[in-house]
């Protein structure tokens, strides 16, 4: 498949202060490219921005939380005003599970959904409005293989990633006529601070740098779904297609996320 979006000149990335977002920022950093980066940790974000500038990119870095809608919208508007956004990577997310208690509290559930769903939607919509006006642009929505099937150890996280996956798939069909590409990104286990707390085996654990390269290739080719590594993605897909009566007994035995 030939590249449809081979060289975005202005890339916006949320959750860029660590993990996959930081790896994506560094991978895209090169002379002639503008990067708009946000993250909650100001110190880590500054370090990522400095590394990207060393690689030749022009960087606008803004410490913020995607649940702060006014700040988020203002930052996106400022980035768009500097130069039209070619690619928006809605990557910011948080994760938690039932841990030792075996139950996910209402507070934790709301916190995960606010970041992973509301924060992602509020990233996409203002950027999308500008892209539709010029009939050009691309969205990369970071979901997870956990969005294929609900796992008892992380109910809110799985639900939030299922929303991202399905919403991204629907947006893709809706926006094709507007010249806008939408890719849903479904990684398996990536070695990030989010997975560092896991106290269970993580099959096919991948470095964030390798994951970033896979994602960038998929986005350049305008792939509808960028799911990897394939054994993990296939296993999650299969778990989502089989009858719950078959999969519930197995999944209930899996270790819960802390």
């Amino acid at each position: 498949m030939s590249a449809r979006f081979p060289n975005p000149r202005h890339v916006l990335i949320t959750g860029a202060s660590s993990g996959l977002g930081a790896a994506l920022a560094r991978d895209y950093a090169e002379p002639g490219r503008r990067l708009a980066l946000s993250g909650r940790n100001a110190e880590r974000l500054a370090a990522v921005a400095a590394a990207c500038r060393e690689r030749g990119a022009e960087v606008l870095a803004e410490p913020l939380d995607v649940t702060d809608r006014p700040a988020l919208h203002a930052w996106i508007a400022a980035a768009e005003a500097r130069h039209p956004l070619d690619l928006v990577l809605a990557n910011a997310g948080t994760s938690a599970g039932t841990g030792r208690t075996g139950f996910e509290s209402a507070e934790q559930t709301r916190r995960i959904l606010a970041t992973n769903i509301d924060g992602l939607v509020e990233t996409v919509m203002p950027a999308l409005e500008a892209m539709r006006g010029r009939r050009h642009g691309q969205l990369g929505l970071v979901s997870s293989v956990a969005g294929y099937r609900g796992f008892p150890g992380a109910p809110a996280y799985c639900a939030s990633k299922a929303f991202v996956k399905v919403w991204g798939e629907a947006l893709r069909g809706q926006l094709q006529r507007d010249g806008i590409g939408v890719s849903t990104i479904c990684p398996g286990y990536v070695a990030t601070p989010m997975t560092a707390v896991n106290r269970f085996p993580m099959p096919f654990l991948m470095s964030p740098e390798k994951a970033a390269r896979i994602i960038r290739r998929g986005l350049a080719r305008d792939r509808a779904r960028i799911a990897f590594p394939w054994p993990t993605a296939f296993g999650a897909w299969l778990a989502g297609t089989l009858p719950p009566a078959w999969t519930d007994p197995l999944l209930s035995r899996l270790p819960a996320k802390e």
Side-chain angles (χ1 to χ4, degrees):
M1 183 185 296
S2 61
R4 183 183 170 198
F5 297 101
N7 192 31
R9 305 313 304 166
H10 194 187
V11 181
L12 181 145
I13 306 172
T14 62
S17 57
S18 65
L20 183 56
L24 284 163
R26 290 189 295 265
D27 198 76
Y28 274 105
E30 60 186 42
R33 178 164 287 128
R34 296 176 175 87
L35 297 176
L37 310 177
S38 74
R40 289 184 295 184
N41 188 296
E43 184 177 349
R44 290 201 303 257
L45 182 65
V48 173
C52 292
R53 292 187 184 105
E54 288 178 2
R55 297 184 182 206
E58 179 184 328
V59 183
L60 172 68
E62 184 71 22
L64 60 82
D65 191 318
V66 293
T67 62
D68 184 346
R69 188 167 86 169
L72 177 64
H73 284 203
W75 170 65
I76 294 171
E80 171 70 25
R82 291 178 73 209
H83 192 273
L85 291 167
D86 297 306
L87 170 62
V88 169
L89 287 167
N91 166 75
T94 189
S95 173
T98 57
R100 295 182 180 87
T101 66
F103 183 76
E104 189 164 53
S105 69
E107 179 183 0
Q108 178 172 292
T109 299
R110 284 192 290 268
R111 175 173 56 83
I112 292 172
L113 299 183
T115 298
N116 295 4
I117 295 180
D118 295 343
L120 181 136
V121 170
E122 296 301 336
T123 299
V124 167
M125 298 311 290
L128 183 56
E129 183 177 353
M131 288 179 178
R132 290 189 69 204
R134 57 179 173 269
R135 299 184 64 81
H136 174 77
Q138 186 179 24
L139 303 171
L141 311 187
V142 179
S143 177
S144 166
V145 294
Y148 284 87
R149 210 283 188 193
F151 296 95
Y157 179 75
C158 291
S160 68
K161 294 305 184 179
F163 170 87
V164 176
K165 175 180 172 293
V166 174
W167 192 52
E169 291 167 350
L171 281 180
R172 181 178 176 87
Q174 182 186 66
L175 295 172
Q176 280 182 333
R177 59 179 175 270
D178 293 324
I180 298 170
V182 182
S183 295
T184 303
I185 302 162
C186 299
Y189 291 113
V190 179
T192 68
M194 192 179 294
T195 58
V197 300
N198 292 346
R199 297 293 180 259
F200 52 82
M202 293 179 281
F204 306 103
L205 181 67
M206 182 180 294
S207 73
E209 290 75 21
K210 183 175 181 180
R213 291 193 296 270
I214 293 171
I215 291 168
R216 185 174 176 179
R217 287 197 300 268
L219 289 169
R221 292 171 172 81
D222 190 29
R223 287 179 53 190
R225 184 184 300 161
I226 306 168
F228 61 92
W230 76 262
T232 309
F234 176 75
W237 171 83
L238 185 62
T241 59
L242 293 174
W246 295 7
T247 55
D248 281 348
L250 174 63
L251 296 179
S252 65
R253 297 188 182 95
L254 294 179
K257 185 175 181 65
E258 294 292 337

